[in-house]
Amino acid sequence: MTEDDSPTRAHIEAHGGRGGGPASAEISTRLNWLRAGVLGANDGIISTAGLVVGVAGATTSRSAILAAGVAGLLAGSLSMAAGEYVSVSSQRDSERAALELERRELAEEPEAELEELTDLLAARGLSRALAREAAEQLTERDALRAHARVELGINPDELANPWHAAFASLVAFTVGALLPLLAIVLPGSSARVPVTVAAVLAALTLCGVVSARLGGAPALRAVLRNVAGGALAMAVTYAVGTWLGT
């Protein structure tokens, strides 16, 4: 039996990182990005639908509705991108600070850090002796990486990227916003609002189902929440637009 086939090696791979190892972490990261994309598209649908339906309640001018919708799309997508960039930049700064602190502690107190890693592995179900052996092997291979994964839940090779997050939010919001924008400007004036409402509620139903599936939650509750929120937003803005238009 080689070292890579040993029971200790198996335990290290099974318990060496939050979420069950690199493969699980990668899957979890992809699901988080996909969920963020669905939520970004959902925001684009609701906010733009509320805006264009409100304007449509105030005027039948296609150019006015289009101008408002495009302005809302640009403002919303850029705002989402900027907010995501700031948020993820703060997260990355925190991750870097935590890694730097861990690097300093490993240099100054290696024995204490080894003991801490042993305790963390033991808390995950390993026997004390096996946890100690695993901690020693992980420390010998890459002490910082071991502590980053087990103690901090951070993959040093995959720190949060604010540019990726900003771009993903911008694209997701834009894709979502295009649906109500096209639905309101393409039909004739008498059909604009009904067509937009139907298209938006159908899209929100789909977003609710997808987000529920990704989160492992009941689909009906997510769909009802989504549809009710979108319908309320459009009803309120249409009523206000109609009132102001008259």
Side-chain angles (χ1 to χ4, degrees), residues 9-121:
R9 168 71 175 178
H11 277 289
I12 293 172
E13 293 300 328
H15 296 273
R18 184 172 294 180
S24 295
E26 184 178 355
I27 293 172
S28 177
T29 299
R30 289 179 180 177
L31 286 177
N32 286 337
W33 279 110
L34 186 55
R35 187 178 296 113
V38 172
L39 294 177
N42 196 76
D43 287 343
I45 293 169
I46 294 178
S47 62
T48 306
L51 175 61
V52 296
V53 167
V55 176
T59 179
T60 59
S61 170
R62 179 180 273 109
S63 60
I65 297 171
L66 179 61
V70 171
L73 184 155
L74 292 174
S77 60
L78 293 174
S79 174
M80 287 280 291
E84 196 71 12
Y85 179 83
V86 171
S87 174
V88 176
S89 291
S90 299
Q91 177 186 340
R92 184 180 61 175
D93 291 344
S94 298
E95 290 173 343
R96 285 177 171 174
L99 289 173
E100 183 57 36
L101 176 61
E102 198 64 42
R103 186 180 288 108
R104 189 162 59 249
E105 290 176 345
L106 285 168
E108 296 173 356
E109 301 177 329
E111 286 302 321
E113 290 299 300
L114 178 60
E115 189 65 26
E116 181 182 32
L117 184 58
T118 301
D119 292 340
L120 290 169
L121 292 173

